[in-house]
Amino acid sequence: MLASQYYLPTLREAPAEAEIPSHRLLLRGGFIRPLSAGVFSFLPLGLRSLRKIENIVREEMNAAGALEVFLPVLSPRDLWERSGRWDTFQPQPLRVQDRSERWFCLGPTHEEVITDLVAMDLESYRELPVTLYQIQTKFRDEVRARGGLIRVKEFLMKDAYSFGRSEEDLDEAYDAMYQAYVRIFERLELPTVIVRAEAGSMGGHDTREFMLLSENGEDTVFMCDSCDYASNAECAQIRPPQARSGDKLGERELVSTPEARTVEQVCEILGTTPEQLAKTLIYRADDRFFAVMVRGDRSLNEAKLSGLLKAEELRMANDEEVRELTGAEVGFAGPIGLPDEVTIIADHEIATMSDFVVGANQDDAHYVAVDVGADFQVAQFADLRSAVAGDACPVCNEGRLTQHRAIELAHVFKLGAKYSEDLGALFVDSDGTQKPAIMGCYGIGVSRCLAAIVEEHHDENGIIWPRAAAPFEVVVLLLDTKDEELRGAAEQVYRSLQEVGYDTMFDERDMSAGIKFAEADLIGYPARVVVGRKTKQEGEVEVRRRSDAEELVVPVAQAADAVQTLLGS
RNA sequence: CGGGGCGUGGCGCAGUUUGGUAGCGCGUUUGACUGGGGGUCAAAAGGUCGCCGGUUCAAGUCCGGCCGCCCCGACCA
């Protein structure tokens, strides 16, 4: 490709709105342009990289036995009513109406569509297992787009769905996808960490996320510093601590705490610390009420609570319900003297506390020197709080959890029969009975991977593309365009690289050398061949690797060999 | 949705406090020189100051409303 005929709108300075490296460099290098918040166009360079990533994903999917399909973006409302997700999917799907005012959504994911498709054709267990996938634009009406391509409203995703006869089929398909993902991220040079995760809107179990540790990620993961335990913060488990031994020390006492509704206010009045206080949160799970206790400095993990209670709908009780149940304004709830209809459950840590502070279920009052057992009973202890850095590893004995920011690149789930039951993807098994297909689903954010690669591979001068994702693998810089002898040498180098099969950019533009060097670094070609002074004098070119500046000086005729030496064949 | 910031040639910014001819750097165009790290000189083009309304002799600047963008939070495959 001749640079003079290419679309290379590089920017010397990044637009003010871009903060994180991938956003800044992709804009500056002329890979993407913004259209609206969280909506981007891909320019020729950006599209080339995107396609390379996409093709790696495609190759590995095919190698794993998955079959490519292409499903509609427009998805009729009826389908989503049948799965129950028209109103519940988060974030709410982007909705549109056709001329006769029928509702559609722009697919945020495709469980419904693929299951409906398979439901039409599936008859016998002999057709199973099968895994279908597609690479397509997805739409999500994100509450807040951010970070360039990291979180957007419209993005390229690879989504695969496996249909099997049994849990065993599912395990096999899941494992095949999991291994394919490991290979994909190896090829993209993205050192991912695989963490346990929540299923969220998708439903399912055994969910794992492939995370790239990065300051600019928006997920938080915990990793054990001793074993290989790793988990998304949303579901990091906590090892139950040793329960308190010994007897009650002090006598419970009612104290006045006017207007002290928060942990901080109570501590200030009583001159104590949040660790000596237990928060009591009133929750409503369907028609039941629970008083949920965690230590004052901890935060309750609603996902854990939800998992424990197995409720359809879980929410904090509203002000009115709290007043009715506790007899006090919000902020003074406690475990002592609650009506029987409120079940008390507590985080394990509560069992380790003694002589602590709780709300008194009276306005402007708390109890001090309270103890479990002596002053109130707990129906159930469970792991309910969110993990924090330094917590003991829930798996091994030695480790502590360390906290990291991360970018979620991929997610695998076991879905089971939910969608196949809702949408009728049934088959007749060998025993003659009809059964729902057992499903799994597996997604990779392809355009997010593009940003992640840049986050992971860049320096102060620009991007350092891994060869597999580079828009062009090599750039040839002709420094003096007026010199016919040099031009001839550069053309020879360019042709020899093309013959070997390298994607090559030939920068023969009439520009100063400085600009060409700076742009080559910014765009991040893995290898660079310079035709200039040394070529004129010695008949040699300089071949340099972007990643570590390793350089070979060779005769013009050996330029392609040198590139091969530096990049590998 | 809550909090904060921003909106002035393509990009980065000044000017708004105190209303009075719209500026700077980079980029762009033309010419010349130059040709190893965003080079030099000269000339030039390019702006309804986000939009609508109001105040005023006069609004980029003051007032009201709206729109857009970014960041933090909440939320989230």
Side-chain angles (χ1 to χ4, degrees), chain A residues 334-551:
Chain A
I336 301 171
L338 286 173
D340 288 345
E341 61 185 297
V342 181
T343 308
I344 299 175
I345 56 181
D347 181 68
H348 287 303
E349 203 168 36
I350 297 294
T352 70
M353 298 169 68
S354 56
D355 283 1
F356 53 96
V357 180
V358 299
N361 295 324
Q362 303 174 28
D363 285 348
D364 301 329
H366 282 73
Y367 284 117
V368 299
V370 166
D371 287 87
V372 180
D375 298 297
F376 67 96
Q377 300 298 323
V378 171
Q380 188 177 4
F381 285 100
D383 174 12
L384 292 173
R385 74 171 170 93
S386 295
V388 296
D391 277 342
C393 174
V395 173
C396 73
N397 281 320
E398 301 84 49
R400 296 272 154 195
L401 297 184
T402 56
Q403 184 175 334
H404 311 266
R405 298 291 285 174
I407 301 170
E408 179 191 342
L409 299 179
H411 205 154
V412 294
F413 308 73
K414 291 184 181 174
L415 291 173
K418 172 184 163 38
Y419 295 97
S420 41
E421 280 172 354
D422 288 344
L423 298 162
L426 309 174
F427 65 97
V428 177
D429 207 347
S430 55
D431 62 6
T433 64
Q434 198 168 51
K435 296 176 181 172
I438 306 300
M439 294 174 59
C441 89
Y442 320 93
I444 292 185
V446 177
S447 46
R448 186 182 274 180
C449 284
L450 181 82
I453 290 169
V454 179
E455 287 295 327
E456 181 71 13
H457 300 284
H458 71 271
D459 63 14
E460 64 280 7
N461 295 322
I463 303 171
I464 305 170
W465 287 107
R467 189 179 160 198
F472 292 91
E473 296 163 290
V474 191
V475 64
V476 178
L477 300 189
L478 170 59
L479 296 189
D480 185 348
T481 54
K482 301 279 192 301
D483 189 313
E484 285 307 318
E485 186 187 338
L486 286 187
R487 176 174 286 271
E491 281 170 0
Q492 186 188 337
V493 170
Y494 175 50
R495 275 195 304 273
S496 67
L497 286 165
Q498 284 187 307
E499 275 162 27
V500 183
Y502 283 109
D503 286 333
T504 308
M505 176 66 80
F506 179 19
D507 192 349
E508 29 63 279
R509 296 173 300 173
D510 184 17
M511 287 183 164
S512 77
I515 292 179
K516 294 187 179 186
F517 283 122
E519 272 195 13
D521 285 348
L522 173 62
I523 290 169
Y525 306 99
R528 179 185 88 186
V529 181
V530 173
V531 179
R533 190 190 294 146
K534 207 166 276 178
T535 317
K536 185 88 175 165
Q537 292 164 356
E538 323 279 347
E540 291 177 329
V541 295
E542 297 144 27
V543 183
R544 181 197 281 236
R545 187 158 57 198
R546 174 74 174 89
S547 58
D548 58 359
E550 175 75 14
E551 186 167 287

Side-chain angles (χ1 to χ4, degrees), chain A residues 30 267 287 295 307 310 365 413 444 450 467 507 556 566:
Chain A
C267 287
D287 292 331
R295 207 171 78 178
K310 296 185 172 51
F413 308 73
I444 292 185
L450 181 82
R467 189 179 160 198
D507 192 349
V556 170
L566 289 178

Side-chain angles (χ1 to χ4, degrees), chain A residues 50 61-62 83 105 118 195 206 223 277 327 358 362 412 432 484 522 548 551:
Chain A
L50 192 68
M61 284 297 108
N62 293 345
S83 70
C105 69
V118 169
V195 307
D206 274 9
M223 295 169 65
L277 189 144
V358 299
Q362 303 174 28
V412 294
E484 285 307 318
L522 173 62
D548 58 359
E551 186 167 287

Side-chain angles (χ1 to χ4, degrees), chain A residues 219-237:
Chain A
D219 284 88
T220 302
V221 303
F222 286 105
M223 295 169 65
C224 177
D225 59 14
S226 177
C227 73
D228 61 1
Y229 178 81
S231 173
N232 192 310
E234 66 197 7
C235 62
Q237 299 145 297

Side-chain angles (χ1 to χ4, degrees), chain A residues 257 260-262 266 280 322 328-333 359-360 362 365-366:
Chain A
T257 52
R261 290 184 164 78
T262 67
V266 173
T280 307
V322 169
E329 291 296 318
V330 172
F332 300 99
Q362 303 174 28
H366 282 73

Side-chain angles (χ1 to χ4, degrees), chain A residues 25-97:
Chain A
L25 293 172
L26 289 170
L27 286 172
R28 284 190 57 207
F31 292 82
I32 59 171
R33 288 292 179 260
L35 176 63
S36 172
V39 182
F40 288 89
S41 300
F42 281 79
L43 276 44
L45 278 183
L47 185 62
R48 283 186 73 98
S49 282
L50 192 68
R51 290 284 183 250
K52 289 199 174 178
I53 298 168
E54 188 183 320
N55 281 329
I56 287 174
V57 171
R58 180 173 285 117
E59 283 171 19
E60 294 298 340
M61 284 297 108
N62 293 345
L67 301 168
E68 187 167 9
V69 294
F70 193 67
L71 305 171
V73 165
L74 275 181
S75 207
R77 173 177 183 166
D78 161 65
L79 200 50
W80 292 75
E81 297 283 8
R82 283 201 274 155
S83 70
R85 293 208 294 183
W86 180 256
D87 292 309
T88 62
F89 191 86
Q90 289 298 321
Q92 187 183 73
L94 278 164
R95 297 169 174 187
V96 294
Q97 279 182 303

